[in-house]
């Protein structure tokens, strides 16, 4: 059987209110509709920009079509945070370029959303680009004080002494994707304009992976940054955690081992003495 060739698809569109006003800051997820099997999510979740526009790229590896299916049966769902607002009709047997525009019965009452609310999204994978679900992601703001250490810091507990500010945290979904929103007040008051952020993947107190440092050019609009991805080289987190805690826990373990060794030595010596005297 011939190996199936990879095909790329590009989905885009605009989300507007029923008053035809663009809706920024809404989460868009795309799915391959199938009434008989669980739906496959297509690509990563994204966030609409200031013009209400979004775009999602995916391949045929993201969905499992039948032999007779010519293309994915695509629908999108629109969320505000975790609340589902609406979903589109299904576009059956979609071509490589797909457009889905949608009107949502939703009014954004936050007039300052583009200035004060920020949303960052990305994906956590291994080196083979396979998605890693249920990974804890911490988004941090990097300023002049913490710029020198964000590449080398190994423990979450060191954030405070290195002046790294946490903007938010979450866990990746089944597709390895994450979305974190935060407010302007959450990052340094002396910092003006857009924040410079890094996404850390953590296991307990150990930092097991980190994204690149974002720049002002990465922001699609005033408040949306996408594809701040993290690739993990090592997914054996228990071993990884031991390595990165070696400077603290190794000494504790060594002390416990030393005490245990002394106790065993004393026990054997006592047995010898009491045995000799018996």
């Amino acid at each position: 059987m011939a190996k199936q060739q990879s095909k790329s698809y590009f989905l885009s569109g605009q989300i507007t209110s029923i008053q035809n006003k663009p809706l920024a800051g809404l989460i868009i997820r795309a799915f391959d509709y199938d009434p008989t099997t669980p739906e496959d999510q297509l690509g990563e979740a994204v966030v609409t920009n200031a013009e209400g526009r979004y775009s999602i790229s995916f391949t045929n590896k993201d969905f499992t079509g039948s032999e007779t299916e010519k293309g994915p049966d695509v629908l999108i769902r629109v969320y505000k945070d975790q609340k589902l607002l609406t979903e589109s009709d299904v576009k059956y047997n979609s071509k490589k370029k797909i457009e889905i525009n949608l009107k949502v019965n939703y009014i954004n009452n936050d007039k300052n959303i583009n200035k004060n609310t920020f949303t960052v999204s990305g994906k956590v994978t291994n080196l083979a680009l396979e998605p890693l679900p249920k990974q804890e992601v911490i988004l941090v703001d990097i300023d002049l004080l913490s710029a020198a250490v964000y590449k080398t810091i190994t423990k979450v507990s060191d954030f405070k002494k290195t002046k790294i500010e946490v903007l938010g945290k979450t866990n990746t979904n089944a597709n390895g994707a994450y979305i974190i929103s935060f407010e302007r007040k959450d990052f340094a008051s002396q910092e003006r304009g857009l924040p410079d952020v890094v996404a850390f993947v953590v296991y307990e107190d150990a930092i097991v992976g980190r994204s690149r440092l974002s720049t002002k050019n990465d922001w699609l609009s005033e408040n949306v940054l996408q594809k701040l991805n993290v690739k993990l080289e090592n997914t054996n987190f228990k071993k990884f955690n031991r390595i990165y805690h070696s400077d603290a826990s190794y000494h504790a373990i060594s002390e416990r081992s030393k005490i245990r060794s002394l106790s065993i030595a004393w026990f054997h010596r006592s047995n010898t003495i009491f045995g000799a005297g018996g």
Side-chain angles (χ1 to χ4, degrees), residues 100-113:
I100 299 180
N101 301 314
L102 198 58
K103 290 186 183 296
V104 180
N105 187 15
Y106 172 77
I107 298 175
N108 188 350
N109 294 318
D110 186 357
K111 295 180 180 179
N112 298 316
I113 186 171

Side-chain angles (χ1 to χ4, degrees), residues 37 67 151 159 193 248 268:
T37 62
E67 294 182 359
K151 289 184 178 180
F159 281 177
H268 284 303

Side-chain angles (χ1 to χ4, degrees), residues 97-158:
K97 287 189 176 181
I98 312 156
E99 182 177 4
I100 299 180
N101 301 314
L102 198 58
K103 290 186 183 296
V104 180
N105 187 15
Y106 172 77
I107 298 175
N108 188 350
N109 294 318
D110 186 357
K111 295 180 180 179
N112 298 316
I113 186 171
N114 291 335
K115 295 181 180 180
N116 295 325
T117 303
F118 300 82
T119 302
V120 176
S121 60
K123 195 170 187 178
V124 178
T125 66
N126 58 21
L127 293 182
L129 299 182
E130 296 168 329
L132 298 176
K134 298 181 180 179
Q135 303 302 310
E136 184 178 0
V137 180
I138 299 180
L139 188 73
V140 303
D141 176 46
I142 302 298
D143 59 16
L144 291 176
L145 294 174
S146 55
V149 299
Y150 81 90
K151 289 184 178 180
T152 56
I153 190 171
T154 60
K155 294 187 292 185
V156 176
S157 54
D158 288 339

